[in-house]
Amino acid sequence: MIELVANAFIEPLRQTFFQKALIGGSIAAVVCSVVGCLVILRRMAFLGDALSHAMIAGVAGGYLFMKVLFDIEAHAPAMLVGSLIATVITVTSIGFVSRVSRLKDDTAIGIMYTGVFAAGVVLVSIFRNYIHIDLMHFIMGDVLGVADHDLWAAGLAASVVLSTIILFFRQFQLTSFDPVMAAAIGMPVVAIEYALTTCVSLVVVSAVSMVGVILVVGLLITPAATAYLLSDRLDRMMALSAVFGVSSVVGGLYLCMWLDSSGGGAIMLFCTFQFLVVLVIAPRYGLLARWLRLRRMVPQQLIEDILGAVVRGEGAPLPLDKVAAFVQGEARGLGRVVGAMERDGLLHSTPEGLTLTPAGVREAGRVLRAHRLWETYLQHVGMPPNELHKKAHALEHVHDEESVEYLDDLLGRPRLDPHDALIPDDYAAFAPDSVRSISMLRKGARAVIESMDPQATSVGLAVGDEITIGPASDDDTGWNVTRSDGAEFSLDHRAADAIRVRFKSYKDDA
Amino acid sequence: MAAERVNHPAIDVENLTVSFGSKPALLDVSITIEAGLAVGVIGPNGAGKSTLIKAILGFVKPDFGKVRILGIPADQARGLVAYVPQRGAVDWDYPITVEEVAMMGRYGHIPWWKDPGLEDKEQVQNALKMVRMSEFRHRQIGRLSGGQQQRVFMARALAQGADVLLLDEPFAGVDAATERAILDVLDRAKRAGRTLVVVHHDLATAAEYFDFLILIKQRLFAYGRPELVLNPELLSEVYEGRLRVFADLSGARASR
Ligand SMILES: Nc1ncnc2c1ncn2[C@@H]1O[C@H](COP(=O)(O)OP(=O)(O)O)[C@@H](O)[C@H]1O
Ligand SMILES: [Mg+2]
């Protein structure tokens, strides 16, 4: 048994064609994967596809050129140069079309590469009596038929490309991450762009003979994408990507021997399989990790409902079953959520029930404020009273500062909601030293008067006075203010609007 | 060199016109910013604020006009200007760590055949310390809060050691505490004699934060002391009567 398995691995290694396929494939895979990292970060994947298709015209052109002028069949260097020329023409014309027309890049790429590809196909078929190129060879690739000159070409391309990328790593990194800064410190951004495109052309040309036109873009981007899911640094991403590229070639070649399948197909199949596995299990950016995170994540809505329930108990501990009744229907995982809120310092859990910490009170005040303002607003726009609470309960989760401020402004800064409950002020949003009107402060706020409009001077307060906001007047329409020397003043809404103070703190959290 | 620069304004923009297609983003803008000032750039969305920043950096080519940094034409003033990009302009998923971003500030000083030296590394650590991001230095930049992300790019600008700092909306989407922290860093940079140009969206704080303001919407509407630029008539012309802005502003100003 063991012998059988060992044989399955060792037997192919004895064959020259398999050795060449391994070596050639690995070289091509390493450069493809490394360059591929820059390709996917620059969102140029489509370009790789375009270049590989354009090549066919170049190969045909190179073949024909040597055949007609020198009567040499299938001259490899000429075909290589031809493909490079074809890719350069494609790239330039893509840039040209998207610059001078209103077409976007992706459309320009689609048009130009299919055009050049078609030219190649037509060329090959017209001269089929002269050009002995097997179109299928190009489209599907022939990794098991790698010839020595293919190896040399791949090796040469690899060393040029790899040394360029290693030498100019910082340049490639900065231009792909922040081209504006690259230009500002004097990097030749355009030249670097061309260098990268040339590198892509080189690796594509050297890999096409092995995996074929259709699959080469996969070899360019799939190992890079796999590595992208696992790395937080570009240099590591490149190294990992190269590893994945080589493992695809090795795994794919064995697959192809065992199943007697197409070489290029098996390589890409293995490569895609690797990607899918990593996509699922990658520790940080994988699906599994994402799913776990989502599961661990506590729904904000539930947190706010719990805060709302406890704060309405006016400081008395609220038993867990009451909380469950309040948040009805959403009680799934209540214990877990309470635990998380305790860890976040929002509440204390005691045997008698839940109580809020100062931070919890603040957070709850925010939700309550939003709830009561929404309720007032809904009444204002004419919603029947019996529907107010339910709708407001849903809307209270819209409580970003700006929206709530808007409601507050619109409604004339009310103090009471339709059920005559006090609307908490937005002290959650108050920073010490922010300047507000007195009308925006609630009981217990301490502040220093900054300025006042003329209509408020009759009240008797002066700029620089230190005040504490006292309990509201009996009918809840005005503000009572105590000065630091003990003197008391009562202000109506207009006066409270007209006096601006620098907020200091709330008595209870000073 | 330094002595020569003293006599030049930090940034000198002369009749600058930049267009994308037929509509100019900037039209005939001329501003002279003296060294050592903190200048705020205000204007509505699409006013060309970012474009002005990119023109000063020498990234967009003007259709007409000149930009000089300390007397040197912008496209030759390599590395004299550091820049903190607008949040939306950064690929936060890019595989790069905090430390590596800060190191980019040194790229202009490292010859291409060399690796970053000891001094570069030291500068980077200092810059990270200054913005209090040292403990996050191995973190990928996408896994930071909005304020921390801003500070990473501040560190990059500081590590660059440039005389002129351009910041594109550094306060957008950060909380009050982070805004303070960023202001602190700006303050220190200013006291070290650097010139700051900051795109700012909050008119209410503009007067407090900056020595001078630039009010721009395609054309330059005003450049001068905040109390002159924050003139209700001028603002309503530029912002086309978006009232909330003014309500906030008059409140904040009356309080001063
Ligand atoms: N690269 C670009 N290509 C085309 N139009 C652009 C480009 N950059 C900016 N614009 C246009 O120039 C104008 C000014 O943009 P911008 O400077 O980003 O404004 P701001 O930063 O003040 O919001 C806008 O109308 C915008 O659409
Ligand atoms: Mg902008």
Side-chain angles (χ1 to χ4, degrees), chain B residues 1-7:
Chain B
M1 187 83 175
E4 234 170 79
R5 279 188 206 158
V6 172
N7 303 322

Side-chain angles (χ1 to χ4, degrees), chain B residues 229-245:
Chain B
V229 175
L230 295 174
N231 154 340
E233 254 167 60
L234 207 54
L235 290 179
S236 76
E237 190 184 344
V238 173
Y239 284 84
E240 284 158 7
R242 281 174 43 218
L243 284 171
R244 215 186 129 70
V245 176

